Amino acid sequence: MKMNSIVIRTENMEKSLHFYQKIIGLTFETMMSAAPGKQIAFLSDPQSGGRLELIYNERAKPQKENSISLTFIVDQIGETEKYLRKHDVSITMMPRTVKDGKKMLTALDPNGVEIDFIELKS
């Protein structure tokens, strides 16, 4: 078994695409209309091959209870914090060192999805 993709249901496809392409650095692959009023955008991470699907459905608002979280490995947590601040990304937990020595910060995407950025100890 292997994971295929992460799915985020969004209220604003344009904002989500901007965030994941321009700020996070994912690559846009394609977009399809699955049904009237329903769009699905497919993105991927060129470094890991991980895939993200953004789903917009004008007939169904995303529910906070269906929320997910994402994790990205970064080279340097301090530089990541500066980069996120430069792009006005909401940081909910400042950089901190967790028990196993990893450094981590938590931010939110435009949909309120939590994203953990982790610097592995050297």
Side-chain angles (χ1 to χ4, degrees):
M1 192 180 328
K2 68 178 184 176
M3 187 181 83
N4 181 51
S5 63
I6 301 289
V7 175
I8 296 175
R9 286 162 183 79
T10 181
E11 289 186 59
N12 188 317
M13 182 64 82
E14 187 177 316
K15 276 177 117 171
S16 294
L17 283 171
H18 173 82
F19 181 83
Y20 283 103
Q21 286 181 271
K22 305 296 183 192
I23 297 173
I24 298 298
L26 298 185
T27 302
F28 177 81
E29 292 179 353
T30 188
M31 187 174 314
M32 64 178 271
S33 179
K38 186 174 183 179
Q39 295 177 306
I40 304 175
F42 298 89
L43 298 99
S44 63
D45 178 1
Q47 293 184 40
S48 72
R51 295 184 41 158
L52 174 67
E53 294 178 26
L54 297 171
I55 298 177
Y56 169 75
N57 186 344
E58 67 184 27
R59 296 188 181 131
K61 293 232 182 235
Q63 301 298 312
K64 198 73 162 160
E65 306 84 65
N66 297 340
S67 189
I68 61 163
S69 65
L70 305 175
T71 303
F72 288 90
I73 303 301
V74 298
D75 292 328
Q76 213 289 324
I77 204 75
E79 291 303 311
T80 301
E81 179 187 8
K82 288 179 193 171
Y83 177 79
L84 295 173
R85 287 191 185 286
K86 177 181 168 187
H87 291 283
D88 297 319
V89 175
S90 174
I91 296 174
T92 58
M93 293 187 81
M94 299 302 295
R96 63 212 178 272
T97 302
V98 293
K99 287 184 182 177
D100 59 3
K102 296 174 186 169
K103 294 179 182 173
M104 183 167 123
L105 77 81
T106 305
L108 297 177
D109 87 342
N111 304 296
V113 173
E114 282 190 358
I115 304 174
D116 290 326
F117 295 88
I118 299 175
E119 174 188 324
L120 304 177
K121 61 183 178 181
S122 325

